[in-house]
Amino acid sequence: TRYVKFTPSAAVPTGATIANAQVQLAYKSATAGDQTCWYFEVYNGATLIGTHGSSATPVSCNSTTSYVTDTVSVPEVNTSAIANAVVLKVYMKNSGSRKASFDLVQLDVNYFLD
């Protein structure tokens, strides 16, 4: 199993109310025709709090050498404490067992202060 861990640098103020959160990921296959698929897990520090996709049903797949950007809602990121401690573990599989590239991995958190 291959994965990459990302720790976004969210700076959500303590006590903020989270309106929504989403992950954006842009990726491509290094070799045209190779299908690269991905899914991810969301952690609050070391605790798993959400899974989006799986090896059997990935978030998406891309068989081109052009970047594709996916946006996935992460409703489990619902407090400022979670937003500030979130870790994303992204799993990828390439049908040709070759490289894939990331252009963007981003956590967007919309919040408001009471």
Side-chain angles (χ1 to χ4, degrees), residues 36-101:
T36 299
C37 300
W38 76 284
Y39 69 97
F40 70 106
E41 297 172 338
V42 180
Y43 289 81
N44 177 10
T47 303
L48 177 65
I49 59 172
T51 300
H52 300 271
S54 68
S55 59
T57 47
V59 170
S60 76
C61 296
N62 180 9
S63 297
T64 74
T65 56
S66 298
Y67 284 104
V68 171
T69 302
D70 295 317
T71 302
V72 181
S73 178
V74 285
E76 61 273 24
V77 179
N78 55 14
T79 68
S80 58
I82 292 172
N84 290 327
V86 74
V87 175
L88 305 174
K89 188 186 269 189
V90 178
Y91 294 86
M92 297 193 101
K93 184 174 182 181
N94 179 279
S95 64
S97 298
R98 290 184 272 256
K99 296 178 184 178
S101 298

Side-chain angles (χ1 to χ4, degrees), residues 12-21 77-81 83 109-114:
V12 178
T14 300
T17 300
I18 306 298
N20 62 47
V77 179
N78 55 14
T79 68
S80 58
V109 180
N110 295 314
Y111 65 88
F112 59 90
L113 297 170
D114 290 329

